[in-house]
Amino acid sequence: DRIAKILFHPLEINHYLLIAAGPTIHQLSLDVSYVADIVLPITGIVSAVSVDVDIEEDMVYWSDDVAAGIYRAPLVGGV
């Protein structure tokens, strides 16, 4: 499979997985025939260990075990 790392994506993604990966949160598209690994443009993450999304509010939430807190950012656009 082809893997594409994208920092900003203009495509509409409807089906995806969110993965907490240390200082980044990745959005893996399930809408395309290849793997699109999109790094969400969120700053200030130290060590994300879990992630969730609020579809109605378009917000992503994550827990950070180093910063000892739960944080949130807009799913599109980040902070």
Side-chain angles (χ1 to χ4, degrees):
D1 286 352
R2 190 176 133 221
I3 297 177
K5 280 208 175 200
I6 304 167
L7 294 177
F8 175 77
H9 60 91
L11 302 173
E12 181 69 27
I13 296 176
N14 295 309
H15 301 95
Y16 56 86
L17 297 174
L18 289 180
I19 299 175
T24 58
I25 295 176
H26 296 255
Q27 184 180 40
L28 299 176
S29 173
L30 302 175
D31 289 334
V32 292
S33 60
Y34 56 90
V35 177
D37 180 4
I38 299 160
V39 178
L40 296 183
I42 301 172
T43 60
I45 301 172
V46 179
S47 181
V49 292
S50 62
V51 65
D52 202 353
V53 66
D54 181 343
I55 297 296
E56 290 185 18
E57 298 294 325
D58 285 330
M59 298 293 285
V60 60
Y61 294 81
W62 68 93
S63 61
D64 191 311
D65 64 344
V66 173
I70 298 173
Y71 303 90
R72 69 178 181 169
L75 184 57
V76 177
V79 236

